Structure formats: C-alpha cells, structure tokens
C-alpha cells in the first residue's frame, strides 16, 4: 500500500521525536548526594541513633559532615556527626562540606524525621511468658529472642558464669555475716539454687531488664539459664497496690 506524502511526513516526525526523547542529554553526576534518613522505631525505652548518610563521586574529599536537629521551633542539637533521639517528630538539616577539583563546596538537605516508640507490653503479654524454674528437661522456657518478641523489647542485661555468681554471693556472706544473719540465710539459699542449676549443666546465666512504657509502665526482670527463661518477675502487683492505696486515700 502506497503511503501518502502527509502520512510519510507524520511518520518521520514521530520517529524523530521518539529518538529525541529516548536519548536525552546525560546530566552531570553530583559530587556528593545526601540520602534521606529513614524513619526509626525503638523499643519501650531508649533512643534511636541517627547519622548522616550520603554518596560521593571519586576524587571527592569530604571535609565535614554534620546534622542540626530542630523540634517545635527549637534547636536540639547543632553540627553533630551522630545524634540519639527519643520518640518524636524532628526536622533534620544535613550539611556535607567537601573538596572537589580543587574547590571547596557544600551541599545541604532538609527533611522530616519520625522516631516511633514500639508497642508497650501488657500484663497479658507478661503472663504469656513460659518459665522453667527448675531447668527441667520436660519443660522448655522461652528463649531470650522469644521473650523479646512477647514483650516487644530487646531489653538489656548482663551474663555471668555460675562460678562467678557463687563467688560474689560468698563474698557478700563474709561482708554481711555478723550484722545481718537473716540475709545470710537467703544468700545460702541462692547459692544452693545456683549449684543445683550448675549440676544440671547450666554454664551461663543472664539477667535481663525490660523497662516498661505506656499507661501501664510495667518493668520486667528476667533470668535465663543457657538462654532459657527460668525466672520472670514484674512490678505490676506493686503498681496495683499503689493504685489501690491512691484510690483509698482519695475516698477518704
């Protein structure tokens, strides 16, 4: 089929425009590009560590990188290389000063940053913890990871060997023996418990604290033997007693 002259001109125009769009002029790469800092999420308590993030071209020498943090119209931190932030909404200004092709330059990026607080544990979460106080083969207590999942928090803690703990308890007995004999009885009971765990093959003990948040604000204190939960206490009972006393006082 023969193409008309008008159709031929239109086809050439479309082809030309397509070629122009398909091959745009390449923009020169920036020597330094500051990346957007991702929003953060933390546990019950604590802070989120925030640092500048950027990419740079070859032969770029970074002279300085700094952040200034604003919140509610106030400057919280100025010219910092790293900042720990509590839950909240912030405005972050990141500035990178660098040297490229013999010239000193700077690039700046402003952004909004949100630090979210994770879910708070409830009394029901605490009651769901599986504990093996006797370190029995027939019962398996929650692992450290599983406890963190149930309580929505990694917590913080310290690990030690049974021998180290026994030595500390024995030293405490010597220190308090003459003045507080009733405490020595409790220490002897604790030493017996640790030795019993040691006899069952426990080589590592770890105490972890999970600090609460939210309206209930419940703290949890846990002990793990070889990574298995053998003890978990919380202050929810103390909180309820305090609440009852406050209600009673208000009624009077």
């Amino acid at each position: 089929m023969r193409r008309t002259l008008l159709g031929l001109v239109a086809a050439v125009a479309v082809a030309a425009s397509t070629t122009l769009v398909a091959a745009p002029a390449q923009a020169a790469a920036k020597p330094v590009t500051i990346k957007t800092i991702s929003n953060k999420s933390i546990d019950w308590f604590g802070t989120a560590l925030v640092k500048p993030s950027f990419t740079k071209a070859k032969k770029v020498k970074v002279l300085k990188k700094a952040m200034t943090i604003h919140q509610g119209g106030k400057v919280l931190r100025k010219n910092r290389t790293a900042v720990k932030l509590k839950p909240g909404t912030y405005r972050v200004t990141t500035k990178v000063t660098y040297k490229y092709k013999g010239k000193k330059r700077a690039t700046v990026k402003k952004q909004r940053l949100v630090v979210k607080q994770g879910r708070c544990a409830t009394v029901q979460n605490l009651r769901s913890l599986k504990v093996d106080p006797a370190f029995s083969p027939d019962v398996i207590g929650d692992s450290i990871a599983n406890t963190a999942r149930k309580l929505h928090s990694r917590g913080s803690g310290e690990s030690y060997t049974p021998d180290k703990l026994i030595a500390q308890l024995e030293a405490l007995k010597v220190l308090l023996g003459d003045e507080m004999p009733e405490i020595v009885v409790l220490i002897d009971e604790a030493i017996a418990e640790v030795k019993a765990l040691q006899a069952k093959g426990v080589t590592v003990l770890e105490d972890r604290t999970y600090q609460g948040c939210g309206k209930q604000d419940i703290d949890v204190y846990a002990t793990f033997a070889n990574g298995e939960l053998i003890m978990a206490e919380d202050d929810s009972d103390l909180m309820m007693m305090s609440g009852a006393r406050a209600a009673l006082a208000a009624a009077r």
Side-chain angles (χ1 to χ4, degrees):
M1 182 176 179
R2 187 174 180 177
R3 183 186 297 272
T4 63
L5 182 59
L6 185 59
L8 180 60
V9 171
V12 171
V14 170
S17 64
T18 302
T19 302
L20 291 174
V21 172
Q26 293 292 326
K30 293 182 180 180
V32 174
T33 300
I34 299 175
K35 296 182 180 181
T36 299
I37 302 171
S38 300
N39 291 333
K40 308 292 183 181
S41 180
I42 63 174
D43 284 338
W44 289 2
F45 69 104
T47 55
L49 180 63
V50 177
K51 296 181 179 180
S53 179
F54 58 89
T55 58
K56 67 182 185 69
K58 293 181 179 179
K59 298 182 180 180
V60 169
K61 182 179 180 181
V62 175
L63 304 176
K64 186 178 180 181
K65 52 185 179 179
M67 298 181 303
T68 298
I69 312 295
H70 296 78
Q71 186 182 44
K74 296 181 179 180
V75 178
L76 298 183
R77 301 288 187 274
K78 189 173 183 180
N79 296 330
R80 301 292 184 89
T81 56
V83 178
K84 291 182 178 180
L85 299 176
K86 295 180 179 180
T89 300
Y90 305 89
R91 287 185 295 111
V92 181
T93 301
T94 304
K95 182 178 181 180
V96 178
T97 305
Y98 60 95
K99 193 171 185 180
Y100 183 58
K101 294 184 177 180
K103 294 183 179 180
K104 184 178 178 181
R105 307 178 185 181
T107 183
V108 177
K109 181 180 180 64
K110 297 182 179 181
Q111 69 164 96
R112 179 175 178 268
L113 177 67
V114 178
V115 178
K116 296 181 180 180
Q117 189 174 55
R119 293 171 57 193
C120 301
T122 64
V123 174
Q124 288 72 25
N125 295 141
L126 304 178
R127 301 297 179 258
S128 72
L129 292 176
K130 190 174 182 181
V131 181
D132 178 15
F135 200 69
S136 168
D138 300 327
V139 180
I140 299 178
D142 281 325
S143 64
I144 294 176
N146 207 30
T147 301
R149 180 184 62 80
K150 289 183 176 181
L151 298 181
H152 314 301
S153 171
R154 291 186 298 272
S156 59
E158 179 184 3
S159 60
Y160 42 87
T161 64
D163 285 335
K164 179 180 178 181
L165 180 57
I166 291 171
Q168 291 176 344
L169 292 172
E170 292 286 3
L172 191 59
K173 275 180 60 178
V174 174
L175 183 65
L176 302 176
D178 295 333
E179 298 181 2
M180 306 181 72
E182 67 280 5
I183 300 299
V184 171
V185 174
L186 297 176
I187 293 175
D188 282 334
E189 291 177 357
I191 291 174
E193 290 179 6
V194 175
K195 288 184 176 180
L197 290 171
Q198 193 174 30
K200 293 181 179 180
V202 173
T203 58
V204 178
L205 292 165
E206 183 170 353
D207 286 328
R208 297 191 70 81
T209 301
Y210 303 87
Q211 185 175 337
C213 70
K215 293 181 179 180
Q216 293 181 317
D217 194 17
I218 301 166
D219 294 340
V220 179
Y221 311 96
T223 299
F224 298 85
N226 289 1
E228 180 182 340
L229 184 62
I230 61 170
M231 187 278 291
E233 295 179 350
D234 64 79
D235 56 6
S236 59
D237 292 338
L238 181 61
M239 284 179 53
M240 287 187 285
M241 289 175 62
S242 299
R245 290 195 187 103
L248 184 60
R252 290 176 181 173

